[in-house]
Amino acid sequence: MLASVEDAWGELCISQQGNDRVLSFGSSLEQSRVDMQRPWMLSHEYTQIMLLGLLLASPQRVTVLGLGGGGLAHCLTRFYPQVACCFVELRQAVIDIAYEWFALPRRANLEVICAEALQYLAVMEPGSSDLILSDLYDAGGMNESQSQLAFVESCHRALSSNGWLVVNFHHLPAEDSQLMSSLSAKFEDIRRCDVFRGNHVLFCGKSASTKPDKLLQVEARQLARRTEMPMLYYSRQLYRYGNSVHCP
């Protein structure tokens, strides 16, 4: 272990495994893993899959809920310098660690805000974000904020008319759950991509996507070349929620 910090929410541990620096919240669960030689190269598969939201939304403004070690911040600001990125993190200690231990970049298109996610969403200007990426986890697993109806309502209100919400779930919500009923009522286009190590990423479009399937594939191939991540493969794993029909 390289360092350990305590704050009001508990312990934060930083460790090193080869070139990878790992952040955990006092449990066996990894909150972040960053290759310090190539910090823009996302180590966790689910974070790579979440990048598909960039292709669906073609955003100019991105809001990310949860900072961790800042892997997504490294990636987004490097490959999308024209996109304004706002990261919202509950714990100031996490923000400090991201800068000190994970070389979080200080770039003109990156803003980091210390705030509770639901409270921040509640005061966002309507339509002020084109893409919301939510990855809210604590020491015990997924934070309950991501499964609350207030979360769905606030994200929908904060998104632009063609905006997308992308959420990393540890367990896929049941089709007959209150959460999925709320998402289905608010969002016209819902897709899923299952992470092969257990997680499920849900993509929720405020309006149905008008992007032709062939164009989505072309853009996924281009993003794969830029990032050296298998984005084309992931794009082919997108399914309509509730069935096994490929979207592209």
Side-chain angles (χ1 to χ4, degrees), residues 110-141:
L110 174 61
E111 180 182 17
V112 181
I113 295 174
C114 184
E116 196 278 328
L118 281 179
Q119 293 178 5
Y120 183 80
L121 287 169
V123 298
M124 285 181 68
E125 289 292 327
S128 59
S129 187
D130 303 312
L131 177 64
I132 296 176
L133 305 177
S134 185
D135 185 29
L136 298 174
Y137 280 72
D138 50 36

Side-chain angles (χ1 to χ4, degrees), residues 46-239:
Y46 72 86
T47 55
Q48 296 181 17
I49 290 173
M50 292 179 82
L51 293 183
L52 292 175
L54 294 158
L55 306 183
L56 291 166
S58 300
Q60 290 301 310
R61 302 159 297 175
V62 176
T63 304
V64 184
L65 307 177
L67 174 67
L72 272 171
H74 277 286
C75 181
L76 291 176
T77 57
R78 177 182 175 87
F79 295 113
Y80 289 84
Q82 77 283 6
V83 174
C85 301
C86 177
F87 280 72
V88 181
E89 171 56 51
L90 172 65
R91 303 167 72 170
Q92 182 61 48
V94 171
I95 297 173
D96 295 340
I97 285 171
Y99 280 115
E100 181 178 358
W101 290 97
F102 292 85
L104 186 69
R106 298 182 185 274
R107 292 179 176 147
N109 66 326
L110 174 61
E111 180 182 17
V112 181
I113 295 174
C114 184
E116 196 278 328
L118 281 179
Q119 293 178 5
Y120 183 80
L121 287 169
V123 298
M124 285 181 68
E125 289 292 327
S128 59
S129 187
D130 303 312
L131 177 64
I132 296 176
L133 305 177
S134 185
D135 185 29
L136 298 174
Y137 280 72
D138 50 36
M142 192 183 85
N143 189 288
E144 64 178 10
S145 297
Q146 288 192 160
S147 60
Q148 294 182 14
L149 300 185
F151 172 81
V152 176
E153 293 278 351
S154 295
C155 286
H156 184 270
R157 183 184 58 81
L159 285 168
S160 55
S161 59
N162 294 314
W164 283 76
L165 167 65
V166 180
V167 188
N168 173 37
F169 286 104
H170 185 60
H171 298 291
L172 195 65
E175 289 185 59
D176 59 352
S177 65
Q178 192 175 23
L179 175 60
M180 274 311 304
S181 295
S182 179
L183 286 168
S184 298
K186 289 290 184 181
F187 293 91
E188 290 188 20
D189 194 339
I190 300 180
R191 313 179 183 198
R192 67 178 174 86
C193 187
D194 300 338
V195 181
F196 301 109
R197 295 181 181 175
N199 287 37
H200 307 268
V201 181
L202 210 59
F203 300 80
C204 306
K206 197 168 180 178
S207 302
S209 175
T210 58
K211 181 171 289 188
D213 295 341
K214 289 184 178 180
L215 178 57
L216 184 65
Q217 295 292 299
V218 168
E219 292 181 351
R221 185 177 289 105
Q222 292 171 344
L223 184 58
R225 289 171 180 164
R226 290 166 62 194
T227 63
E228 298 182 26
M229 290 183 274
M231 303 311 302
L232 180 60
Y233 173 74
Y234 294 143
S235 71
R236 290 172 173 167
Q237 308 308 309
L238 277 175
Y239 296 88

Side-chain angles (χ1 to χ4, degrees), residues 1-39:
M1 184 180 297
L2 295 176
S4 177
V5 176
E6 289 274 352
D7 69 0
W9 289 274
E11 186 180 18
L12 300 100
C13 302
I14 305 103
S15 59
Q16 189 82 19
Q17 299 178 15
N19 294 328
D20 292 349
R21 196 154 291 175
V22 179
L23 174 65
S24 63
F25 292 165
S27 73
S28 60
L29 298 176
E30 290 186 3
Q31 297 297 323
S32 282
R33 176 180 286 267
V34 176
D35 181 341
M36 297 306 294
Q37 291 190 346
R38 298 187 302 167

